[in-house]
Amino acid sequence: MFTEPIDLDEPNKNLTYRYLLEACGEVVRNQYLNAAWQTTASREKGSSNSNLSVQVRLKHPSDAAKSVSFHPKFTYPIFGDEETIFGYKDLKIDIQFKADTLKPNLDVSWGAQFEPVGDTKADAVKEKLEPFLPTFFHPEQDATPASTSFEPPGECQHRYTANGREFGIWSTKLTDPAAKGILNNMQIFVPFLIEGGSLIELDDPEWTIDRWRIFFLYEQQPYAIDQDTSLPDKQVYSLAGYSTAYRVFFLDTEKLQSYGFHPTNGAATTISTTDSDSTWPSFDPTLPSNQPSRQRISQFLILPPYQSHGHGSHLYNTMFRHFLTHPSIREITVEDPNESFDDLRDINDLLRLRHTHPTFSRLTINDAVKLSATSDVDHENRKTVPKSSLLDLNALASLRSEAKLAPRQFDRLVDMQLLAAVPPYHRKVARTTKRDRATDANDRRYYFWRLIVKQRLYRHNLDALNTMEDEEKAEKLDETLRGVEEDYERLIKVVEGREERGGVMGMLEPAAGGEKMNGVSTTAGATLAAEGGTPKRGFKRKIIEDDEEDDDDDEDTQKNDADCDARMSHKDAETEAGLPERGSKRPRFVDVED
């Protein structure tokens, strides 16, 4: 009975409704109406799609025609997993922000609202939104136009031009009241645009906030008096994106060893007492910012109207340049990157290394190495080859330290560069049948490249592989390697395309102007739409690699990366292995859309 269609605007037209009202009274009638709403809640008249009902608008400081707007990609943290709002017809939720300070205004309107019947009532829209808006927020206030006196907080790190429009990137610590206020105003962007993202606790003690740095990306324009007249000497700013990063302590085991601290297989330690205390590094506990640290990029967001114009690369490279100048920062890492950010990161890191580090750009594999039988290591007389015979590991370790890249990220970039050095024609399994005895040097390099990558995959997935039979293990390694190589080739193609267009150095060095950069080719990620598309929640690449943050490498893993005499036999690598190669990462993070 309760599944009979009912016009919720005019229930008296429903025969069952009229009969229950006349025969049973209002109590039974209300129960029926309540059930009718529940069964029609998924219909257009019963509920609204919250992603489409919400519109975010940035009011241009001087020219209303230049204001931009967009719909959120996600609203489930606010309105529930179904992303629907119950009880309204023609619902409109307009959240306006001043484009410079991001002070918000909320306006909620609708054509009709369901009157409460028993326990069934329309969702409280404003109450659900208010926890994500600043505490001083007043719904009735208007987001008044910005003042020409506004200046982005912090120091300008980089200026460039894209599509004939001027942009700049400013940076400051979150202890800056102006920066903290802007971030507080726009915290709602995190649930709207960053899947699984978490808000920064701005009420934490100042010593904790002091670890955080924020980078603002603003579009800069002359103040417009009217449509045809502007004042070049007065500038107004509109936010286009931002990123946050924070510092965590970094235990430099190599430096500790140089001062006499020697870990011995994790069982015991020996500390030299022959030198005076003055030989030990000095630490000032009152200045944590001066201690060795990792810099973690946390939230990274380019607002939808500004996506697909290269702004993500400008922002990322500006942040990297800034962190590279700080001697206390030993590694620059990323917190829970999604797939699209992985692409942006890989492409720009590879470009940076290729164009600023000649040692990296000249990387090649020693193809003169011969496989040897090592029965003392492998009782089945498998053929093995140490990585140290194929690559100069000391030079790579020095380069990684100088580039301040996490070990796993650096290893992947080395893999890409070595693959790029092999001509595409030689990247065929059929050409590796003679292995180290192939007459063409490129065939040998490709063969050894496969061994190197498999060795890394084997090491990173050792626990999972140990649960498999040899045949299954080989199949998994082979499947993963194919996916990894395809992914590398896709990224290499993007990098080489940018190099051919000459769109490299303007993004790697500070400049007063720049050129338009094409967006990075991406795969739809859990957090981010690829080139303007809409990501599906929970989507991840089938091929994954590092299921932890890239700065969580333990000492054993780093040691294996360095000496590689814990060899992977040719028998394990020969038949080649789906294993995780990249990401099932925790679905929190950043948004980027380059």
Side-chain angles (χ1 to χ4, degrees):
M1 175 175 66
F2 291 150
T3 59
E4 180 184 352
I6 180 172
D7 188 335
L8 297 173
D9 292 332
E10 298 182 274
N12 284 315
K13 292 183 178 180
N14 181 270
L15 295 177
T16 304
Y17 175 89
R18 295 209 310 265
Y19 170 78
L20 288 173
L21 180 61
E22 295 172 1
C24 305
E26 291 188 0
V27 174
V28 176
R29 184 277 312 267
N30 288 345
Q31 291 176 351
Y32 171 72
L33 188 59
N34 191 317
W37 268 95
Q38 298 293 338
T39 57
T40 59
S42 61
R43 303 176 189 176
E44 182 178 354
K45 288 188 176 182
S47 62
S48 305
N49 183 306
S50 53
N51 290 346
L52 298 178
S53 297
V54 175
Q55 178 171 270
V56 179
R57 185 156 62 101
L58 299 181
K59 296 188 68 173
H60 189 272
S62 62
D63 187 350
K66 294 181 179 179
S67 297
V68 297
S69 61
F70 57 90
H71 294 289
K73 294 179 180 178
F74 313 103
T75 52
Y76 66 88
I78 301 174
F79 296 110
D81 289 342
E82 298 300 321
E83 296 184 322
T84 58
I85 301 173
F86 175 73
Y88 298 92
K89 185 178 180 180
D90 300 327
L91 176 65
K92 295 181 180 179
I93 304 171
D94 187 20
I95 306 177
Q96 302 178 26
F97 292 88
K98 294 174 65 176
D100 48 11
T101 63
L102 277 295
K103 289 184 178 179
N105 160 256
L106 173 64
D107 180 55
V108 181
S109 61
W110 55 85
Q113 180 181 12
F114 170 65
E115 295 297 329
V117 176
D119 294 332
T120 304
K121 57 184 178 180
D123 289 337
V125 174
K126 291 184 178 180
E127 285 77 358
K128 290 188 176 185
L129 286 168
E130 284 178 355
F132 298 89
L133 295 168
T135 54
F136 60 81
F137 168 71
H138 296 290
E140 68 277 6
Q141 285 186 345
D142 180 36
T144 55
S147 167
T148 56
S149 62
F150 173 83
E151 290 283 345
E155 297 181 359
C156 185
Q157 305 287 323
H158 179 48
R159 294 183 187 273
Y160 64 96
T161 301
N163 294 333
R165 298 157 69 178
E166 300 295 327
F167 294 85
I169 298 171
W170 284 259
S171 173
T172 185
K173 287 187 174 183
L174 269 187
T175 50
D176 182 331
K180 189 175 181 180
I182 293 174
L183 181 60
N184 186 48
N185 291 342
M186 62 181 178
Q187 290 268 53
I188 199 169
F189 287 169
V190 174
F192 277 172
L193 300 170
I194 301 175
E195 184 180 11
S198 56
L199 307 185
I200 296 175
E201 296 293 338
L202 297 177
D203 294 330
D204 282 350
E206 185 168 338
W207 68 267
T208 299
I209 297 297
D210 185 64
R211 298 183 304 133
W212 287 82
R213 177 166 287 274
I214 187 166
F215 293 77
F216 294 107
L217 169 62
Y218 276 96
E219 181 179 4
Q220 181 176 339
Q221 297 174 312
Y223 182 84
I225 298 177
D226 53 43
Q227 187 174 359
D228 301 318
T229 308
S230 61
L231 302 176
D233 58 329
K234 292 185 178 181
Q235 300 293 313
V236 292
Y237 300 86
S238 297
L239 186 79
Y242 77 96
S243 181
T244 58
Y246 62 96
R247 299 175 71 173
V248 294
F249 182 74
F250 176 78
L251 181 62
D252 192 338
T253 55
E254 293 181 2
K255 176 164 284 191
L256 287 177
Q257 289 176 13
S258 70
Y259 285 101
F261 180 83
H262 301 288
T264 55
N265 297 326
T269 59
T270 58
I271 301 178
S272 172
T273 58
T274 58
D275 299 324
S276 65
D277 291 342
S278 62
T279 63
W280 283 79
S282 59
F283 295 97
D284 184 352
T286 64
L287 295 174
S289 60
N290 292 337
Q291 308 309 322
S293 63
R294 284 189 176 101
Q295 191 78 42
R296 285 184 183 172
I297 298 175
S298 181
Q299 299 164 333
F300 190 102
L301 174 64
I302 303 299
L303 297 180
Y306 295 93
Q307 291 173 4
S308 301
H309 297 291
H311 299 301
S313 289
H314 277 287
L315 181 56
Y316 179 76
N317 283 303
T318 299
M319 296 175 71
F320 228 95
R321 284 196 305 268
H322 177 84
F323 297 141
L324 285 172
T325 63
H326 287 257
S328 62
I329 296 177
R330 305 300 170 82
E331 286 182 4
I332 304 168
T333 64
V334 179
E335 181 185 47
D336 300 341
N338 62 23
E339 289 78 5
S340 292
F341 188 88
D342 274 331
D343 279 356
L344 178 138
R345 180 190 189 192
D346 288 343
I347 290 166
N348 285 284
D349 285 352
L350 188 57
L351 280 168
R352 184 185 311 104
L353 291 177
R354 285 164 69 116
H355 290 269
T356 61
H357 294 275
T359 301
F360 184 85
S361 60
R362 294 193 297 265
L363 271 181
T364 187
I365 295 174
N366 177 16
D367 60 272
V369 173
K370 298 298 180 182
L371 294 175
S372 61
T374 54
S375 57
D376 58 325
V377 175
D378 192 325
H379 297 292
E380 296 184 16
N381 202 35
R382 300 174 180 174
K383 293 181 176 181
T384 61
V385 56
K387 187 176 178 181
S388 56
S389 298
L390 300 173
L391 298 170
D392 186 343
L393 298 183
N394 290 330
L396 288 177
S398 177
L399 177 58
R400 186 186 76 80
S401 177
E402 183 181 351
K404 300 187 178 182
L405 290 167
R408 292 174 181 171
Q409 174 68 1
F410 183 74
D411 283 349
R412 297 184 68 259
L413 297 170
V414 170
D415 291 348
M416 292 181 210
Q417 181 63 16
L418 293 175
L419 181 62
V422 177
Y425 177 75
H426 295 271
R427 302 175 196 167
K428 300 175 182 177
V429 177
R431 299 187 66 88
T432 65
T433 55
K434 293 186 177 181
R435 305 170 188 170
D436 58 318
R437 301 186 304 278
T439 56
D440 193 298
N442 285 315
D443 290 340
R444 295 195 299 273
R445 292 189 187 104
Y446 180 61
Y447 168 73
F448 286 128
W449 178 85
R450 289 166 62 83
L451 289 183
I452 290 171
V453 178
K454 285 180 182 178
Q455 185 183 73
R456 181 175 65 81
L457 296 175
Y458 190 96
R459 183 173 59 247
H460 287 170
N461 298 279
L462 188 59
D463 291 342
L465 287 168
N466 283 340
T467 65
M468 302 177 188
E469 298 295 332
D470 286 349
E471 184 176 352
E472 182 185 6
K473 183 187 305 182
E475 291 175 356
K476 290 296 184 181
L477 276 171
D478 185 46
E479 178 186 339
T480 299
L481 181 62
R482 286 197 301 269
V484 169
E485 185 173 350
E486 290 175 0
D487 201 41
Y488 285 173
E489 288 182 333
R490 176 181 61 85
L491 295 169
I492 291 169
K493 185 177 180 180
V494 175
V495 167
E496 292 176 344
R498 286 194 178 185
E499 291 172 333
E500 291 175 1
R501 295 191 299 271
V504 178
M505 300 315 294
M507 309 196 70
L508 302 181
E509 297 177 349
E515 60 182 306
K516 176 186 176 182
M517 293 295 159
N518 291 335
V520 178
S521 174
T522 60
T523 302
T527 307
L528 172 72
E531 291 305 309
T534 300
K536 295 182 179 179
R537 235 176 317 137
F539 177 87
K540 288 285 181 183
R541 287 183 186 166
K542 294 181 180 179
I543 297 173
I544 57 176
E545 175 189 11
D546 301 324
D547 58 356
E548 298 179 5
E549 296 176 14
D550 57 10
D551 53 2
D552 287 339
D553 302 287
D554 56 31
E555 289 183 28
D556 292 336
T557 299
Q558 296 185 44
K559 181 180 179 183
N560 288 339
D561 287 346
D563 62 41
C564 276
D565 282 329
R567 304 162 183 167
M568 185 180 80
S569 72
H570 176 70
K571 181 175 180 180
D572 286 330
E574 183 180 37
T575 47
E576 310 169 31
L579 288 175
E581 158 61 7
R582 202 167 145 177
S584 191
K585 310 207 174 163
R586 292 178 291 279
R588 295 178 48 243
F589 183 59
V590 292
D591 209 14
V592 49
E593 204 68 68
D594 184 35

